[in-house]
Amino acid sequence: GAVVSQHPSRVICKSGTSVKIECRSLDFQATTMFWYRQFPKQSLMLMATSNEGSKATYEQGVEKDKFLINHASLTLSTLTVTSAHPEDSSFYICSASITDRNQPQHFGDGTRLSIL
Amino acid sequence: TQLLEQSPQFLSIQEGENLTVYCNSSSVFSSLQWYRQEPGEGPVLLVTVVTGGEVKKLKRLTFQFGDARKDSSLHITAAQPGDTGLYLCAGGDTNAGKSTFGDGTTLTVKP
């Protein structure tokens, strides 16, 4: 089955630090990748849709200058949380899909971000 | 904006019991997925349904897509502690190129 690798799995850093999270599709080409944020015992909140070779589409209320997304190839998308603050602490999850009708999303294992 | 209402939000049952989780919307979806997520991990795809009225079985799990492709259900027979987790339904929107997720159902199966 389709495998998506997300790295790192956990980050603990000081306030003001910028953190980069990578999302890779290992055995398929992902024309579209999605970035989600998840709070404990809650569902996924879509932050942005990342399309290879074009600018990401951000959901309402998500600051594009705060959460920088780069989708440089068909197998890699990165999310950079710039100048992170404690309120940015959360579980961030990426997913990837082949742009085709009814193709499901395949998720990475998530990144637990803790800002001190 | 498409919305998916998932119920119940929390469910705690004894091992061996049966349960059903519902996913309802006023919108039509091109496909619907069910995922299971354990703490600290990403969601894992259980099934995709695409045809109205479709029923799929995965061991003790039975998934159904409504005739109008607006709702779905997940039925678990003889639940086991290993079924514990967060169950998420997601509706596919071909036009928007993204999925809408339900609020999730946290299932706890006690031994």
Side-chain angles (χ1 to χ4, degrees):
Chain A
V3 179
V4 175
S5 174
Q6 189 172 338
H7 179 80
S9 59
R10 186 175 181 93
V11 180
I12 302 173
C13 58
K14 294 181 179 180
S15 183
T17 305
S18 292
V19 178
K20 179 185 284 188
I21 304 170
E22 293 187 348
C23 183
R24 295 180 183 272
S25 56
L26 298 185
D27 54 357
F28 67 102
Q29 292 186 329
T31 50
T32 304
M33 289 185 174
F34 302 90
W35 288 96
Y36 296 85
R37 185 171 179 176
Q38 186 178 33
F39 293 101
K41 296 191 182 297
Q42 293 188 20
S43 187
L44 307 176
M45 183 184 75
L46 180 65
M47 298 174 65
T49 302
S50 171
N51 296 295
E52 187 269 334
S54 63
K55 291 183 178 180
T57 302
Y58 290 81
E59 295 299 303
Q60 191 173 9
V62 178
E63 299 176 55
K64 61 180 181 180
D65 294 329
K66 174 74 171 178
F67 299 99
L68 300 178
I69 292 173
N70 184 284
H71 194 154
S73 75
L74 285 172
T75 60
L76 174 64
S77 176
T78 61
L79 168 67
T80 300
V81 183
T82 61
S83 187
H85 292 286
E87 59 266 27
D88 298 322
S89 298
S90 190
F91 192 54
Y92 292 87
I93 309 176
C94 73
S95 71
S97 69
I98 304 169
T99 302
D100 182 65
R101 190 172 186 268
N102 303 326
Q103 285 294 322
Q105 296 179 37
H106 299 278
F107 288 86
D109 281 338
T111 297
R112 172 70 60 193
L113 177 61
S114 300
I115 308 299
L116 306 177
Chain B
T1 303
Q2 295 182 311
L3 296 175
L4 268 174
E5 295 183 352
Q6 201 171 329
S7 63
Q9 187 176 0
F10 297 96
L11 190 55
S12 181
I13 61 173
Q14 292 294 134
E15 182 176 2
E17 293 183 3
N18 302 331
L19 67 114
T20 302
V21 178
Y22 299 94
C23 186
N24 296 300
S25 175
S26 58
S27 302
V28 176
F29 292 100
S30 58
S31 67
L32 193 136
Q33 288 80 38
W34 284 92
Y35 296 86
R36 177 171 165 269
Q37 183 183 22
E38 296 196 32
E41 299 181 8
V44 175
L45 178 68
L46 297 174
V47 77
T48 296
V49 286
V50 299
T51 305
E54 182 176 5
V55 177
K56 282 191 174 180
K57 291 190 175 183
L58 183 64
K59 295 184 180 179
R60 294 176 293 101
L61 278 60
T62 301
F63 305 87
Q64 186 164 6
F65 202 12
D67 291 340
R69 290 186 289 133
K70 293 182 179 180
D71 55 85
S72 181
S73 64
L74 157 60
H75 182 79
I76 301 179
T77 304
Q80 299 177 359
D83 296 326
T84 294
L86 175 67
Y87 288 82
L88 296 162
C89 64
D93 181 348
T94 303
N95 292 331
K98 59 185 180 182
S99 295
T100 299
F101 278 83
D103 289 334
T105 296
T106 299
L107 171 65
T108 303
V109 182
K110 301 175 183 177

